[in-house]
Amino acid sequence: METEFEREKRTRNHVACNANEIWGVLGKTWALLILKKLSENESTRFNEIKKAIPMISNTVLSERLRDFEVHGLITKKIYAEVPLRVEYSITKQTHELGKILKQLDNWVVQWRKKK
């Protein structure tokens, strides 16, 4: 069975995305909010994200998670249990993006105070 490290390495090697390509992913509706939620914990389940962003549809959430995985922003771990358990985690390279999103949150709070 492939380890998380091996999967992350394969994903990183398989997909080399440039700035335009990544903005195409991050610029989609809900993308930054999903990544922000994923960056808050070591691993997050689908329903936890759904609860944090109740307005998002299951279809859109699934699409965004798939995009993130394809572009090497997250990893998906499937546990062979009944019922099936799936957890999503940000990759090491995306950890820095989580810090930027936190700074963006702080900027918004500061900006709103000045209104």
Side-chain angles (χ1 to χ4, degrees):
M1 182 169 199
E2 186 176 48
T3 68
E4 183 177 339
F5 175 77
E6 292 168 333
R7 185 176 342 189
E8 185 174 331
K9 183 177 177 185
R10 178 180 47 82
T11 302
R12 196 173 358 176
N13 291 338
H14 179 68
V15 180
C17 60
N18 61 35
N20 290 337
E21 192 175 352
I22 200 65
W23 278 117
V25 174
L26 297 179
K28 291 182 179 178
T29 306
W30 306 112
L32 293 178
L33 286 174
I34 296 166
L35 283 176
K36 181 179 174 287
K37 177 61 183 166
L38 287 169
S39 69
E40 292 172 357
N41 301 304
E42 191 171 315
S43 62
T44 309
R45 297 179 71 177
F46 186 94
N47 285 333
E48 293 174 56
I49 302 167
K50 181 74 172 132
K51 286 177 187 173
I53 312 169
M55 296 84 57
I56 192 171
S57 71
N58 289 344
T59 304
V60 170
L61 179 54
S62 294
E63 288 173 3
R64 297 301 174 266
L65 291 170
R66 192 174 7 217
D67 284 348
F68 296 157
E69 187 178 12
V70 166
H71 285 87
L73 298 172
I74 66 169
T75 58
K76 175 181 176 180
K77 187 170 184 181
I78 302 171
Y79 294 88
E81 300 174 351
V82 178
L84 192 65
R85 180 170 53 119
V86 179
E87 293 181 345
Y88 300 91
S89 303
I90 61 172
T91 58
K92 290 177 185 173
Q93 64 211 41
T94 308
H95 183 72
E96 289 296 316
L97 181 58
K99 292 177 185 178
I100 293 168
L101 294 176
K102 188 169 181 84
Q103 290 174 341
L104 184 59
D105 266 355
N106 294 338
W107 176 81
V108 169
V109 168
Q110 182 179 359
W111 180 78
R112 283 190 177 159
K113 287 179 183 176
K114 292 182 180 181
K115 268 181 127 176

